[in-house]
Amino acid sequence: RVFYASETGCPSTLHGNLHRGELNVLLYGMAHKLDVHTVYVERLRDLLQRASTDYTVSVSTAVHEGSPWDETFQKTETNLRKVFGDHLRVLGYLADDALAKELHECSAVALFFDPAARVNNTSLWAAMEAGCPVITNLDASSPPELVHDETVFDLSRLTDWPDRREALQVGRTGRLAVEGRSWERLIEMLRA
């Protein structure tokens, strides 16, 4: 006898985990680049583990056009799961509205770049514009608006997880620091 799903029905395949820890760190951006930043990801984990046993790392991914989506996504999840274990929540490829909601609800955003944060890192500016405390990696060529413990947190200089007051202050100051980075301002600059 053949059983058809249209006749028997099917149970749900949704097995998501709604829990978000006391600390919920959003990692987002180009999935294929996260592998390059293993040292940063492990340092982030160490800071989180010292700060709280109840933390979540929520990951939204994206890939450059032409990259193999399934393979990239699977590789990224596998590698991050090795570091964060059950603390990892994979959000998949989020649309702008969903990403805006995650930015609004997270404790901090972690964004790592090679070699370090630069003026063309749009994910960084989006997180700062949203008022999120950002943990990133800086060097001498990073934009002057990016100042450790003022507008962002430089991962290499963090010894402990920032307390709530520090994180909120850096998020507010970071948002003010990027007010001049708008499409309108860029168009004005180009016209001049």
Side-chain angles (χ1 to χ4, degrees):
R1 179 152 198 255
V2 177
F3 293 92
Y4 294 96
S6 60
E7 296 171 1
T8 63
C10 292
S12 170
T13 58
L14 180 64
H15 298 286
N17 185 338
L18 295 177
H19 176 74
R20 297 298 181 268
E22 168 190 354
L23 296 174
N24 180 24
V25 177
L26 178 62
L27 242 170
Y28 75 100
M30 295 299 169
H32 61 284
K33 294 180 181 177
L34 290 174
D35 295 343
V36 176
H37 308 300
T38 304
V39 171
Y40 300 128
V41 169
E42 289 173 349
R43 182 159 166 72
L44 175 67
R45 178 207 52 212
D46 295 345
L47 282 169
L48 285 165
Q49 285 179 341
R50 284 197 308 272
S52 174
T53 56
D54 186 26
Y55 73 88
T56 300
V57 175
S58 298
V59 180
S60 172
T61 56
V63 293
H64 281 298
E65 189 174 338
S67 296
W69 285 55
D70 289 341
E71 178 185 322
T72 300
F73 186 82
Q74 193 65 32
K75 181 179 176 188
T76 299
E77 180 179 358
T78 299
N79 290 339
L80 290 175
R81 182 89 45 213
K82 287 177 188 173
V83 176
F84 295 112
D86 291 338
H87 295 278
L88 184 70
R89 300 292 176 272
V90 178
L91 306 175
Y93 304 102
L94 297 180
D96 287 356
D97 285 350
L99 187 55
K101 183 178 188 307
E102 293 296 328
L103 284 167
H104 178 72
E105 294 177 354
C106 69
S107 308
V109 172
L111 299 166
F112 307 120
F113 305 99
D114 184 24
R118 294 293 184 260
V119 73
N120 65 334
N121 298 132
T122 57
S123 53
L124 172 71
W125 303 120
M128 291 176 71
E129 184 178 71
C132 295
V134 174
I135 299 168
T136 191
N137 56 313
L138 303 176
D139 66 11
S141 298
S142 293
E145 302 97 320
L146 305 181
V147 179
H148 172 67
D149 214 22
E150 289 181 28
T151 58
V152 295
F153 293 107
D154 183 357
L155 182 66
S156 68
R157 296 175 67 186
L158 279 177
T159 54
D160 293 305
W161 190 261
D163 67 33
R164 183 168 164 68
R165 183 195 55 76
E166 293 171 313
L168 289 172
Q169 182 59 41
V170 164
R172 281 192 294 270
T173 310
R175 184 176 56 238
L176 292 173
V178 299
E179 281 184 341
R181 290 196 178 276
S182 67
W183 284 106
E184 293 79 12
R185 176 76 177 116
L186 178 60
I187 291 167
E188 283 175 24
M189 223 169 63
L190 293 172
R191 285 185 176 156

